[in-house]
Amino acid sequence: MSGTFIGMPTFPQAARGAVHDVTLRANLRHATHTIRAKREKAVSELSDWAALREAGKRIKDHTLRHLDRYLVQVEETVTAAGGIVHWAADADEANRIVTRLVKETGESEVVKVKSMATQEIGLNEALEAEGIAAYETDLAELIVQLGKDRPSHILVPAIHRNRAEIRDIFRAEMGEWGRPAPDGLTDTPAELAEAARLHLREKFLRAKVGISGANFVVAETGTLVVVESEGNGRMCLTLPETLISVVGIEKIVPAWQDLEVFLQTLPRSSTAERMNPYTSTWTGTTDEDGPRAFHLVLLDNGRTDTLADEVGRQALRCIRCSACLNVCPVYERAGGHAYGSVYPGPIGAILTPQLRGTTSEIDASLPYASSLCGACYEVCPVAIDIPEVLVHLRERVADEGGRGHRLEKAAIRAAGWVLNHPGALAAGERVAAKTRRFHPKKLPGPGAGQWTNSRDLPPMPAEPFRDWWRKNRP
Ligand code: SF4
């Protein structure tokens, strides 16, 4: 039902269209500036923020270094608690596992709590192809799904929509998928929230299967943790008879005590709250309480390859708070769709090309979707040096010799030859000086043309410096 990112153009192409969309830019500017100011205030309340940030970084680095051990521990503890663990090497395998599990229940509808991992693998589309309808229950995800749209922000997937647009989507689409929007629905937040509540409640009470992601998996007890603001997630986790959680392998933390750090840094960095309104935890199954069957699908999908890269692996520390998006001047203007992935903004620019590789044009363009200003690193609660990884990935793209880089390399080779042949250089300079009246103000071609779109070419002197020096030196 929701759109996919398949077939998206490269970042520069997609961003060019987005920056001319006045409504999109106004919506993004309003939302990101509001939340970044609130975040700054919430963070400044903690005198030990720097220590918490360092602790978060260390916990994640330690876990990643010993991930093999912690993954085995998770399988043991989840199984001991009555859950079943499945291992998925890639998106296809994960989709096959989840589809099979849903089919085994005999159901053709599932409710979902916001899960980036399932968006990453295109689970909704895979389920739809097998005749299973997946209903998003997070409010922003519901807006995206009803609008046949794509998410554009980690935390607020519908950040690119304003209230009037959301009202129009609800009025036009809700009736197609369940309880319709109330007559005369306005764009006040209370009315929009009530319309969504009534629409979703019907689905919660009917659903026999829930699908979730998780913010953390605690290895010592096999406990999964979801933090959220609306409570829809908790309904989704507790009401259905079968719960299937799809989780990236990097979401593990060793012990409950580690949550002490992240449950302080995550809410302040994401929604600027001191704590999340809802923190749900579940450990296997419990008699007469919550789902009777629990499946955990542990997803790799490029994470092991990312872990193998000494510089790039720090992206796996990410706790998906979205603070880096809200301060990024490029994200603010280009919007989330331009990144062509479920992970937009600075973290998307380093995570997506590592998970998917840099062989496609869109993935090779992502490490360049940044001004390298460093604001993302400053706010990151687990101290991911995003600019360092961006530069590292640019090197990788250049080494792999993308189209732009082949031209660049040819130009450098030509320049090297000219500079090594002083006679040819002098002749070239003289010709250039003599013809300077006919020189264009802008360079032609896609690469050079872009460079001179926003800059003037420096004027050519009437005489080469070396000729002038020969005549005028004392
Ligand atoms: S990279 Fe850092 S700031 Fe960005 S979403 Fe991840 S944890 Fe948050």
Side-chain angles (χ1 to χ4, degrees):
M1 191 163 143
S2 57
T4 70
F5 289 96
I6 294 166
M8 281 287 294
T10 60
F11 182 85
Q13 282 172 285
R16 195 172 300 124
V19 294
H20 290 113
D21 184 335
V22 178
T23 309
L24 173 76
R25 283 188 62 164
N27 294 349
L28 281 171
R29 186 180 157 75
H30 173 72
T32 54
H33 280 245
T34 306
I35 198 163
R36 86 167 71 152
K38 283 190 185 167
R39 176 211 156 267
E40 214 171 303
K41 194 159 164 281
V43 165
S44 66
E45 286 179 355
L46 291 182
S47 57
D48 60 346
W49 180 258
L52 282 169
R53 188 180 190 235
E54 181 61 22
K57 173 179 183 277
R58 282 171 185 244
I59 292 167
K60 283 283 185 175
D61 278 348
H62 166 85
T63 318
L64 290 170
R65 194 170 305 122
H66 303 286
L67 196 56
D68 51 347
R69 172 154 62 85
Y70 287 118
L71 280 167
V72 171
Q73 190 181 6
V74 164
E75 182 170 43
E76 285 166 4
T77 49
V78 168
T79 308
I84 300 172
V85 175
H86 308 262
W87 299 86
D90 57 21
D92 286 345
E93 188 171 12
N95 286 333
R96 270 200 307 276
I97 292 169
V98 178
T99 307
R100 174 175 57 78
L101 292 173
V102 176
K103 281 187 168 175
E104 281 171 8
T105 66
E107 294 297 316
S108 58
E109 280 183 3
V110 300
V111 286
K112 286 181 67 201
V113 51
K114 191 165 84 163
S115 156
M116 304 205 74
T118 61
Q119 286 168 2
E120 177 189 320
I121 60 176
L123 179 64
N124 287 11
E125 293 73 23
L127 289 173
E128 196 181 346
E130 294 291 328
I132 299 164
Y135 298 117
E136 297 291 348
T137 63
D138 172 84
L139 178 55
E141 286 293 341
L142 175 73
I143 296 163
V144 167
Q145 190 177 43
L146 289 176
K148 300 179 183 64
D149 200 353
R150 293 181 297 266
S152 68
H153 190 274
I154 289 178
L155 196 75
V156 199
I159 197 170
H160 54 293
R161 299 288 197 184
N162 59 35
R163 282 191 277 137
E165 291 176 298
I166 294 167
R167 177 206 54 208
D168 294 344
I169 291 171
F170 279 11
R171 278 184 184 166
E173 300 293 336
M174 270 185 169
E176 286 282 308
W177 302 99
R179 185 179 174 126
D183 289 338
L185 177 70
T186 72
D187 66 0
T188 58
E191 282 197 31
L192 294 174
E194 180 63 4
R197 195 180 73 82
L198 293 172
H199 181 82
L200 288 172
R201 183 141 303 220
E202 184 189 83
K203 297 204 156 53
F204 285 132
L205 294 176
R206 207 173 54 208
K208 296 276 188 285
V209 182
I211 295 181
S212 85
N215 292 89
F216 305 100
V217 181
V218 182
E220 67 177 350
T221 54
T223 303
L224 278 76
V225 184
V226 156
V227 291
E228 43 138 1
S229 298
E230 296 164 6
N232 290 343
R234 181 166 293 179
M235 304 270 279
C236 191
L237 296 166
T238 51
L239 289 177
E241 290 169 8
T242 300
L243 174 61
I244 304 166
S245 301
V246 184
V247 184
I249 54 175
E250 83 282 18
K251 292 295 177 76
I252 293 175
V253 294
W256 271 86
Q257 200 175 354
D258 300 322
L259 297 177
E260 168 195 353
V261 173
F262 299 116
L263 294 184
Q264 292 185 75
T265 53
L266 177 55
R268 284 173 199 264
S269 301
S270 54
T271 48
E273 290 164 308
R274 290 176 181 142
M275 62 184 290
N276 289 97
Y278 293 87
T279 301
S280 301
T281 65
W282 64 104
T283 311
T285 54
T286 307
D287 287 342
E288 295 171 18
D289 188 18
R292 269 160 246 161
F294 168 58
H295 299 271
L296 170 60
V297 181
L298 286 168
L299 177 71
D300 187 318
N301 206 32
R303 285 159 174 79
T304 307
D305 291 342
T306 307
L307 195 57
D309 185 310
E310 272 181 36
V311 179
R313 68 170 63 136
Q314 56 186 306
L316 296 177
R317 279 190 224 136
C318 178
I319 54 172
R320 312 279 190 266
C321 72
S322 75
C324 58
L325 279 68
N326 298 328
V327 295
C328 176
V330 176
Y331 173 85
E332 183 188 320
R333 285 159 183 83
H337 291 160
Y339 295 80
S341 149
V342 66
Y343 304 109
I347 181 61
I350 60 167
L351 190 58
T352 307
Q354 295 198 86
L355 295 182
R356 299 199 300 211
T358 46
T359 48
S360 75
E361 281 203 33
I362 179 158
D363 294 322
S365 73
L366 288 175
Y368 297 86
S370 167
S371 63
L372 297 181
C373 70
C376 47
Y377 173 53
E378 293 298 320
V379 296
C380 179
V382 282
I384 300 172
D385 193 340
I386 295 175
E388 182 190 22
V389 184
L390 285 165
V391 172
H392 171 70
L393 292 175
R394 287 181 190 189
E395 280 172 20
R396 186 195 293 180
V397 172
D399 284 346
E400 285 169 359
R403 192 154 52 96
H405 297 285
R406 281 200 294 275
L407 288 174
E408 196 178 297
K409 279 180 183 166
I412 296 289
R413 260 201 307 277
W417 184 88
V418 173
L419 291 171
N420 275 324
H421 295 79
L425 178 63
E429 284 172 344
R430 280 187 204 117
V431 172
K434 289 265 184 289
T435 56
R436 68 193 189 115
R437 271 190 300 133
F438 307 107
H439 290 181
K441 292 264 182 301
K442 307 275 176 210
L443 290 173
Q450 275 165 358
W451 197 78
T452 53
N453 270 347
S454 51
R455 325 171 163 76
D456 290 331
L457 276 177
M460 183 65 65
E463 181 179 33
F465 173 75
R466 285 188 292 186
D467 290 354
W468 179 91
W469 178 253
R470 214 170 287 120
K471 277 191 251 160
N472 294 292
R473 70 180 160 188

